[in-house]
Amino acid sequence: MLAGAFVAQVVGALLPNTLLLAVATAVGLATDAALHRWQRRTVTLLAKAHADVTVRQLLRDLLLVVGLLRIEQQSQESVFLPVVIGLLVLYALHFTVQAVSVKVRRSRTLPFVTRNIDASALRLSSAPPSLLTRRAGHRLLAFGAPATLGLLVTAIVDDGLPSAVGVAVSVTLMAVGLVRLALHLLPSRRPVSEAEALAWLDAWLAEYRPTVGMYFSGGTTSAYQANMWLEPLAALDGRPVIVLRERFMVQKIAATDIPVICLPKVATLMRLEHSTLRMMIHPANSGKTSQILRVPTIKHAFVNHGESDKLSSCNPYAKAYDEVWVAGPAARERYALADVGIDDRDVVEVGRPQLDPVLPYAGPPSGTYTTVLYAPTWEGWDGNPGNTSVVLAGENIVRSLLADPGVRLLYKPHPMTGSVDPRAGAANERIQAMIREANRRRPATSGPTVDAAELARRTAELERATSSSFRAAADDVERMLAQGEPDSGRAAEVERATAAWDAAYWGSFDEAQHQIITAARPGIFSCFNQADVLISDVSSVVSDWLASEKPYAVANTSGMTEDEFRAAFTTVRAATILAPAGDGVPGLLAAVRDPGQDTLVKDRAELKLHLLGPSDPPSVSRLRDAARALEQKTLLRGTARPEAPASGIPTQRDHLAAADTADPAEAAPSPS
């Protein structure tokens, strides 16, 4: 439509044909607006082809001018010359605004970003509207619309006044925007310099004195990997801090009272060497992880973002860390069998503290429907057909489930499904279409127990509780020093709001309706508590599900026989194995509904202990013990930072000197 509009506009300008020119211009404007609203990928491709919105709008306006001059056969050139000059001024202002916006962004870009830290000393101010600073295409479309519409009206009514008025309005809007931006370059509106900002960061680290931290770097869809470790991190002794590397990730970290620091540059990251940090946990590997591992004053523990039998769960990169913290004995064995260079003495079993919200098995389904959670994983990077069941088995499994009138299906695909293999994305879309069609054919029963207004109210409460806005008490050093740990007020508030929202969400549907869950809420553990049985792939979802000891099934799309599959993957040893055809679904449902047919109860209990470790002592306690022990190793190595003196932050040389003169007897660990 966009290409056709330009062709029609050229024809209308050259003929000339007033109606064709007017319609083509209007269609082009509407199509451009629609592209920016619904087809961002197409807009990006056009920009790569050097046909961005500025070029398109300029061409559109010039074709209007050509059409006007052709219509008047040059007889009113004196009328349209000011209009042409006005258009030139408009575009000159547009490019000037773009140049100033770059300067404003650079002047406002500090070497780090923070959350939950009182950064008022940095003289931060509200940012200019994004229409002026980052959305150049939207700005030209919005501010240039009066000029384009004025030219369009002139072409229709054969009067030069509308075009003159439209151009004047557009020039005025662009000039006001330029002044609005320029005000942010005044000395009083600028934040502190980079040197002052870094000095402030050093002073804050010296005052807050963090001892434990979490390091995270990743893509736009990977924040869930860090978010699952927020509560366990907050439960550790000391004053924790979260260190990020990508600016966009600051807003993707979920609600927490833990101070967050984003350090994009390596040079800024290295300043942590002069802090009191003693150990950091790492939920994921990334290319930037090696940068923080260079800091010799910090010990590092890899905790992973989930445990499964995939090769990624015993990545050779793990040997770069000082310790590898795993849930239970199964992961220890996995690393030993993988032979990737991990010393067994560096593997520490801490359990899975995130699994506290998972409710235990309460027996077979007691209601009208058996709720089945189908939560397949994504296709991965290596093209292995056994990674995900979506491509080869997903539709067959869902078809079998929907054929049972007593099943209520919860479908929760991995958020990265289809990101590598288009076949997985297409299969995911077909599965969702099947579920929607089944809902249309299925009659309602009792109806929802919670109305839309109640759900909206609970949603608003949860959004307030999980807001990333600054809270003045989040880094109150004196309070933390007095209490010995961060304030749990936000965590308790989030827990209450989440529980209320979950209850409202599940109550807002008719109990007979299947659900497609692709948003961040409800979380996977909330889905666990709704479901009677899980169907998944070889993934950490299976390991976590075992905390409930409910029945589960794993799809085998690897090409192995069932015996080979059970021998290869520990997590499936207590599972019902489903072939790609999905013909094992009826037997699975029968075992879920009739405890007499469920022959895997004992196997699930034993596998839970093997995968997740014992429930006593609690996982949170074991995590704290592991953190204390790793901190102690840092102290014994002589590279940990002592208490920062009042005069400043100690240097690496100070610590090496302290280590050289330390009394060996004083450094020996106590019997406790």
Side-chain angles (χ1 to χ4, degrees):
M1 287 183 67
L2 187 66
F6 275 117
V7 171
Q9 200 176 0
V10 170
V11 174
L14 295 179
L15 284 178
N17 185 303
T18 302
L19 179 61
L20 180 59
L21 181 63
V23 172
T25 303
V27 170
L29 279 172
T31 305
D32 233 327
L35 284 175
H36 279 81
R37 176 64 178 84
W38 292 296
Q39 294 288 338
R40 297 292 182 86
R41 184 173 296 180
T42 304
V43 171
T44 302
L45 291 175
L46 288 171
K48 290 180 178 178
H50 301 287
D52 61 11
V53 67
T54 302
V55 173
R56 298 196 298 271
Q57 185 65 12
L58 178 60
L59 179 60
R60 191 177 291 119
D61 289 341
L62 289 179
L63 286 173
L64 275 173
V65 172
V66 170
L68 290 175
L69 295 177
R70 290 279 295 164
I71 290 170
E72 295 300 328
Q73 294 294 320
Q74 307 292 331
S75 61
Q76 295 189 20
E77 185 175 357
S78 59
V79 174
F80 293 116
L81 182 59
V83 174
V84 175
I85 294 174
L87 278 176
L88 293 175
V89 171
L90 173 64
Y91 282 94
L93 284 171
H94 166 69
F95 290 116
T96 303
V97 169
Q98 188 64 14
V100 173
S101 71
V102 172
K103 190 169 183 62
V104 169
R105 289 202 306 271
R106 288 179 178 175
S107 70
R108 293 178 51 81
T109 302
L110 295 176
F112 54 83
V113 184
T114 67
R115 249 181 68 186
N116 295 335
I117 299 175
D118 184 358
S120 56
L122 300 178
R123 300 202 306 267
L124 302 177
S125 60
S126 298
S130 60
L131 190 66
L132 297 177
T133 55
R134 298 187 180 276
R135 302 167 63 191
H138 288 77
R139 179 176 66 243
L140 185 59
L141 281 176
F143 290 178
T148 304
L149 292 175
L151 292 168
L152 185 59
V153 173
T154 293
I156 296 173
V157 302
D158 194 20
D159 185 354
L161 181 61
S163 59
V165 171
V167 169
V169 171
S170 291
V171 168
T172 301
L173 289 174
M174 201 69 77
V176 170
L178 178 60
V179 173
R180 174 80 167 78
L181 273 179
L183 290 175
H184 284 269
L185 295 178
L186 295 175
S188 60
R189 301 290 297 275
R190 293 187 183 186
V192 299
S193 66
E194 180 172 340
E196 292 173 313
L198 292 175
W200 175 90
L201 176 62
D202 291 340
W204 181 84
L205 286 169
E207 182 182 16
Y208 179 62
R209 287 185 169 84
T211 56
V212 299
M214 177 173 71
Y215 178 92
F216 187 74
S217 171
T220 54
T221 60
S222 63
Y224 73 93
Q225 299 171 354
N227 287 335
M228 68 171 58
W229 281 99
L230 294 179
E231 290 188 23
L233 178 65
L236 296 180
D237 297 330
R239 290 173 286 282
V241 66
I242 298 171
V243 178
L244 307 175
R245 301 302 308 282
E246 292 81 22
R247 294 177 184 270
F248 68 81
M249 192 65 71
V250 175
Q251 295 302 322
K252 291 183 175 293
I253 296 297
T256 178
D257 278 345
I258 302 173
V260 179
I261 307 174
C262 176
L263 306 173
K265 296 181 180 179
V266 178
T268 311
L269 181 70
M270 291 299 106
R271 303 179 85 87
L272 294 179
E273 181 179 350
H274 307 299
S275 74
T276 54
L277 271 171
R278 296 171 183 166
M279 61 83 61
M280 301 189 81
I281 63 172
H282 297 257
N285 295 312
S286 75
K288 296 179 181 178
T289 301
S290 62
Q291 296 167 354
I292 188 64
L293 295 180
R294 301 176 191 175
V295 178
T297 59
I298 303 174
K299 288 278 191 179
H300 302 273
F302 181 57
V303 295
N304 213 337
H305 52 274
E307 294 206 22
S308 72
D309 288 323
K310 294 180 184 176
L311 290 177
S312 59
S313 290
C314 48
N315 193 318
Y317 194 98
K319 61 176 171 281
Y321 302 95
D322 296 287
E323 291 184 351
V324 177
W325 294 358
V326 299
R332 181 186 295 276
E333 295 173 4
R334 187 184 307 121
Y335 276 108
L337 291 173
D339 192 23
V340 292
I342 307 299
D343 192 324
D344 185 69
R345 292 171 297 180
D346 295 330
V347 179
V348 181
E349 297 175 26
V350 298
R352 285 279 284 167
Q354 296 89 346
L355 299 181
D356 288 347
V358 178
L359 300 177
Y361 183 45
S366 56
T368 307
Y369 296 98
T370 301
T371 301
V372 181
L373 172 61
Y374 179 36
T377 191
W378 68 301
E379 59 271 22
W381 301 108
D382 57 5
N384 188 334
N387 286 342
T388 178
S389 59
V390 170
V391 177
L392 299 178
E395 293 171 83
N396 295 329
I397 290 173
V398 170
R399 190 177 294 110
S400 297
L401 291 171
L402 297 178
D404 189 317
V407 164
R408 178 198 185 199
L409 174 60
L410 309 179
Y411 177 56
K412 188 174 177 62
H414 193 283
M416 293 180 67
T417 299
S419 59
V420 173
D421 189 345
R423 296 178 305 161
N428 178 41
E429 292 297 328
R430 291 194 296 270
I431 289 172
Q432 294 189 33
M434 292 169 59
I435 297 172
R436 286 190 289 267
E437 177 60 28
N439 275 337
R440 282 192 289 269
R441 296 196 307 265
R442 194 170 207 176
T445 55
S446 59
T449 58
V450 176
D451 59 24
E454 174 66 9
L455 179 60
R457 186 173 71 84
R458 295 299 184 183
T459 301
E461 290 178 355
L462 182 56
E463 289 176 351
R464 283 195 299 271
T466 57
S467 168
S468 61
S469 58
F470 170 69
R471 295 172 70 244
D475 68 334
D476 186 340
V477 177
E478 293 183 0
R479 173 182 53 76
M480 288 182 175
L481 289 174
Q483 296 182 356
E485 60 182 4
D487 180 20
S488 62
R490 170 72 71 92
E493 181 185 359
V494 170
E495 185 176 356
R496 287 192 299 270
T498 301
W501 184 88
D502 282 348
Y505 174 83
W506 296 114
S508 65
F509 301 104
D510 185 282
E511 65 172 350
Q513 295 296 292
H514 309 294
Q515 302 302 324
I516 300 171
I517 304 165
T518 55
R521 295 195 296 257
I524 187 68
F525 296 157
S526 178
C527 297
F528 282 4
N529 293 335
Q530 289 291 316
D532 300 302
V533 59
L534 168 74
I535 299 177
S536 188
D537 305 321
V538 176
S539 70
S540 60
V541 169
V542 171
S543 302
D544 290 347
W545 171 267
L546 277 164
S548 69
E549 298 188 30
K550 297 177 185 177
Y552 71 103
V554 177
N556 177 13
T557 56
S558 64
M560 302 179 185
T561 65
E562 181 173 327
D563 290 340
E564 292 172 337
F565 191 59
R566 290 188 186 277
F569 301 108
T570 304
T571 53
V572 309
R573 293 177 185 172
T576 298
I577 308 301
L578 299 181
D583 46 15
V585 169
L588 170 68
L589 295 174
V592 172
R593 291 162 176 161
D594 181 5
Q597 299 185 45
D598 185 0
T599 60
L600 297 171
V601 177
K602 183 179 178 182
D603 293 334
R604 290 196 298 271
E606 293 175 350
L607 186 57
K608 172 187 174 182
L609 182 64
H610 188 53
L611 290 174
L612 303 178
S615 56
D616 188 30
S619 181
V620 172
S621 299
R622 286 186 282 158
L623 187 72
R624 286 198 191 103
D625 291 342
R628 292 192 194 103
L630 190 55
E631 285 188 53
Q632 186 68 17
K633 286 184 179 181
T634 311
L635 292 169
L636 293 177
R637 188 172 63 179
T639 55
R641 298 301 181 192
E643 292 298 323
S647 58
I649 301 175
T651 64
Q652 173 71 5
R653 183 178 300 174
D654 296 331
H655 286 289
L656 293 177
D660 291 340
T661 59
D663 184 346
E666 293 178 358
S670 64
S672 62

